[in-house]
Amino acid sequence: MALGDSGKDMVVLAAADYFFDTKYKRAVMENFTNLVPMERTGSLRQSLRHARSFLDRGYNALIFPEGTRSVTGEMADFKPVVGYLALHARVGILPVYLHGTHEAMPKGSNILKSRKVGARIGQYLPVEELEEMTKGMPRAEAYRLIAALVKHQVENLRDSARRAFDAKELRKRWKAERRVQMSERASAEELIG
């Protein structure tokens, strides 16, 4: 509803193991909703191709980039899937912060507890800007960086803030973290070996 006409040609990427896990749920979801099943385990590549086919046909896709509902209501890291789909389907991203969803239907609940939900819509991130930001990067890092950018934008929406995103600083931090992990792994191997 918050997206107006842009929400009409929209599919929602949804966890196959939750929304399509029984024949009854599957029948309802396939016939009465616009949910597209996404495998969270196993054949992720096939699910991504399926999701991309909708983007290639001009649909908008609603993605919950954390991959699952939060137990605590705190925002988790966003999965790189959002970056993969943006770059491979060559589509931009519209960050949206949904508030009140945890209180409305906590993870594990099947009953709506509140209707006090809302949305804050951010600034559109054109694919050209995403491509420029990730130019020359290994693909996995590019997908992860786009996911981090989108999370940053959603956090700004949540906090009513305008904090700048520093991609270079984030990449430096990731590189340092990888060095520490490699050093710890080498130390552990020395102890074992």
Side-chain angles (χ1 to χ4, degrees):
M1 285 178 30
L3 296 175
D5 287 342
S6 298
K8 286 184 181 173
D9 290 328
M10 182 181 299
V11 294
V12 179
L13 304 186
D17 60 306
Y18 181 80
F19 291 99
F20 297 84
D21 61 336
T22 69
K23 66 181 181 180
Y24 302 109
K25 278 188 187 176
R26 191 170 35 257
V28 169
M29 298 305 164
E30 288 176 351
N31 292 298
F32 301 107
T33 74
N34 58 350
L35 298 181
V36 173
M38 288 291 291
E39 294 294 338
R40 294 191 281 190
T41 59
S43 185
L44 179 60
R45 183 167 289 156
Q46 183 178 340
S47 289
L48 290 173
R49 274 196 300 268
H50 185 53
R52 184 177 166 193
S53 74
F54 284 91
L55 293 170
D56 290 343
R57 288 182 276 160
Y59 285 88
N60 293 317
L62 175 62
I63 300 173
F64 293 93
E66 294 167 277
T68 189
R69 288 186 286 162
S70 169
V71 174
T72 63
E74 295 297 314
M75 195 180 307
D77 285 338
F78 287 12
K79 305 290 185 199
V81 166
V82 68
Y84 172 89
L85 288 171
L87 292 180
H88 282 271
R90 296 209 72 249
V91 296
I93 299 170
L94 180 65
V96 177
Y97 172 65
L98 301 175
H99 56 88
T101 56
H102 177 71
E103 294 76 17
M105 194 165 185
K107 186 171 184 166
S109 175
N110 291 322
I111 299 169
L112 197 59
K113 305 211 185 281
S114 167
R115 293 177 184 244
K116 294 179 182 176
V117 296
R120 292 186 189 141
I121 301 172
Q123 186 174 358
Y124 181 73
L125 305 171
V127 68
E128 294 81 11
E129 288 180 19
L130 302 175
E131 289 171 335
E132 183 61 33
M133 179 182 77
T134 59
K135 189 184 234 175
M137 281 185 203
R139 284 186 280 189
E141 187 175 354
Y143 307 151
R144 187 177 176 203
L145 187 62
I146 290 170
L149 169 63
V150 175
K151 181 180 183 202
H152 178 84
Q153 297 296 338
V154 172
E155 288 172 333
N156 276 344
L157 291 167
R158 177 196 64 200
D159 301 339
S160 298
R162 292 181 178 258
R163 291 182 296 271
F165 181 72
D166 190 341
K168 287 181 184 176
E169 185 58 38
L170 182 58
R171 291 182 72 206
K172 269 199 248 180
R173 191 173 80 220
W174 288 347
K175 196 174 204 175
E177 288 170 1
R178 278 194 301 270
R179 275 195 223 112
V180 167
Q181 288 172 351
M182 290 171 64
S183 175
E184 288 172 350
R185 197 173 306 140
S187 295
E189 288 172 3
E190 283 179 21
L191 290 172
I192 294 170

